[in-house]
Amino acid sequence: MTDHSRQPRALTRVYDLERDGLTAPEARADLERVAEEFRIRVTPEMRGAIAEPADPVAAQFVPSAKELTTRPEELEDPIGDDAHSPVPGLTHRYPDRVILHITKTCDVYCRFCFRRETVGETGPLPEDQLTAALDYIAATPAIREVILTGGDPLTLSTRRLASVLERLSTIPHLDQIRLHTRVPVVAPERITDTLCHILRAAPTAWIVLHTNHAQELTPTARTAIARLVDHGIPMLSQTVLLRGINDSADALETLLRALTKLRVKPYYLHHCDLARGTSHFRTTITEGRTLMAELRRRCSGTMLPNYVLDIPGGHGKVPITADHFTQGDSPGHWRVTDRNGRTHDYRDPATR
């Protein structure tokens, strides 16, 4: 009989992190203040991937006193989910696709998350709100794609996820379902054959894997990714550009090559959003463009993601290219043109 009390558990408290040697006793008071604002969770898989405190994996999941600093430009809802929510649990920002916030739960809580104000507050979307969201999708033929996120959709029970996918499959104008997740990396034991069969049965389901550094790709994570692909589930990846974690051409190239070898197409490199308490992670636009130029010199097009910014305030995502970005009237000031031709100001943080 398995002794479940001896199974590794996620680290969810400052005490747990300190006991494991990931934080120092003298940092306890500040980190408890951080924990009051933003949740902590490090899965056993990611604890095992951490080689030393503050390495590229630890820096993503272990809280820092730097999170107590909120800059004036930082926002509680940096990409404007709420501004485009026709019913609770749904964001309809682009004509042909919607985001369905199917749960607020994650297996890990990233220190730079743009939804860090709300993740972990509740679990799955209540049934009445889910029904209202599905009714809205069914009544809006322009919607061709549903993006399941939250939270992380793969934290749902297999039964509940299967039910949601089955209900979506009855909507005739949907061509595609996209699931954005960290689970194959941070909790790879969840990627079972049963789950893969459920995903394969849904209308063209794509997995978009969130991963930011090759150190996250443990042997077990690689096996989980292979299981998904071997079941015929197409996979993309998205990465956040993070100061001190992957803001070098070497780190990004290693990650992109590892993903491509795993049959995962790099999709997005996100400029770090203006979430509250995340300024220490943010690079400048110029630094990001320089990195992309170097990656284009080193890597084939199959490996290159689109470098993008979600324009603060809910104006949508745009590629960071000359078509959308022009230098403003001072260093670090950019004029950004959105998909509808409207222009917005964006200012880089002061470099330190």
Side-chain angles (χ1 to χ4, degrees):
M1 181 180 295
T2 301
D3 183 357
H4 292 286
S5 67
R6 295 180 179 272
Q7 296 298 310
R9 296 183 178 180
L11 309 179
T12 59
R13 302 172 298 170
V14 173
Y15 168 81
D16 299 330
L17 301 171
E18 190 175 313
R19 181 198 61 205
D20 267 37
L22 296 175
T23 60
E26 56 269 26
R28 186 184 309 155
D30 281 343
L31 296 184
E32 291 288 3
R33 289 172 58 203
V34 173
E36 290 175 3
E37 295 285 329
F38 308 115
R39 286 165 180 79
I40 298 169
R41 185 175 171 86
V42 184
T43 58
E45 189 72 20
M46 287 299 93
R47 175 62 188 96
I50 296 172
E52 57 186 43
D55 73 10
V57 178
Q60 294 183 60
F61 307 121
V62 176
S64 163
K66 294 176 182 177
E67 295 175 52
L68 297 171
T69 299
T70 299
R71 292 175 58 95
E73 68 271 16
E74 293 178 343
L75 305 168
E76 291 188 3
D77 181 18
I79 69 167
D81 280 337
D82 291 343
H84 299 277
S85 182
V87 296
L90 204 69
T91 299
H92 192 182
R93 180 179 289 109
Y94 305 100
D96 70 329
R97 55 202 182 275
V98 293
I99 295 172
L100 179 56
H101 304 268
I102 194 65
T103 180
K104 292 294 185 182
T105 301
C106 291
D107 264 317
V108 291
Y109 291 114
C110 303
R111 310 320 305 170
F112 48 86
C113 177
F114 63 90
R115 294 194 179 111
R116 66 201 315 245
E117 306 282 347
T118 59
V119 289
E121 281 187 339
T122 57
L125 191 67
E127 177 58 33
D128 60 332
Q129 295 183 11
L130 175 59
T131 298
L134 295 176
D135 287 346
Y136 176 89
I137 295 167
T140 313
I143 298 171
R144 308 298 295 272
E145 180 179 16
V146 173
I147 301 162
L148 299 185
T149 181
D152 192 316
L154 294 192
T155 63
L156 293 173
S157 70
T158 303
R159 179 192 59 79
R160 187 172 182 85
L161 181 62
S163 173
V164 172
L165 293 176
E166 184 177 352
R167 292 163 76 178
L168 285 169
S169 71
T170 66
I171 300 174
H173 52 264
L174 290 185
D175 298 327
Q176 182 170 313
I177 298 170
R178 202 191 320 165
L179 299 93
H180 282 241
T181 182
R182 260 193 173 282
V183 163
V185 165
V186 304
E189 69 278 2
R190 291 180 180 269
I191 308 301
T192 62
D193 286 338
T194 299
L195 175 63
C196 291
H197 286 306
I198 288 169
L199 294 171
R200 191 70 178 89
T204 313
W206 288 68
I207 293 287
V208 181
L209 176 68
H210 293 210
T211 185
N212 300 312
H213 196 278
Q215 190 176 323
E216 298 171 52
L217 300 174
T218 65
T220 316
R222 291 169 186 259
T223 298
I225 292 167
R227 180 172 291 120
L228 287 162
V229 177
D230 287 346
H231 276 83
I233 300 162
M235 291 189 69
L236 305 170
S237 72
Q238 70 177 40
T239 294
V240 182
L241 180 59
L242 299 166
R243 185 176 297 282
I245 293 174
N246 60 15
D247 60 332
S248 73
D250 287 345
L252 288 173
E253 180 186 3
T254 301
L255 174 63
L256 299 176
R257 290 191 181 280
L259 289 167
T260 306
K261 189 173 182 179
L262 289 166
R263 297 171 289 171
V264 179
K265 170 69 178 85
Y267 178 40
Y268 280 142
L269 176 64
H270 281 273
H271 195 74
C272 189
D273 294 306
L274 297 176
R276 195 159 59 91
T278 62
S279 61
H280 54 294
F281 287 117
R282 209 165 296 118
T283 66
T284 66
I285 295 290
T286 296
E287 288 169 328
R289 294 177 86 170
T290 300
L291 282 171
M292 282 302 300
E294 179 61 23
L295 290 173
R296 282 191 289 271
R297 283 189 282 271
R298 298 185 182 193
C299 301
S300 75
T302 58
M303 297 180 189
L304 291 176
N306 290 313
Y307 179 36
V308 296
L309 174 76
D310 245 313
I311 304 171
H315 303 291
K317 191 182 289 96
V318 291
I320 300 178
T321 63
D323 289 338
H324 293 275
F325 278 73
T326 57
Q327 188 71 54
D329 56 11
S330 60
H333 174 215
W334 298 92
R335 297 289 289 164
V336 184
T337 303
D338 67 22
R339 69 189 190 284
N340 295 314
R342 297 170 300 197
T343 57
H344 311 270
D345 289 307
Y346 183 86
R347 295 187 182 275
D348 277 327
T351 54
R352 293 184 287 278

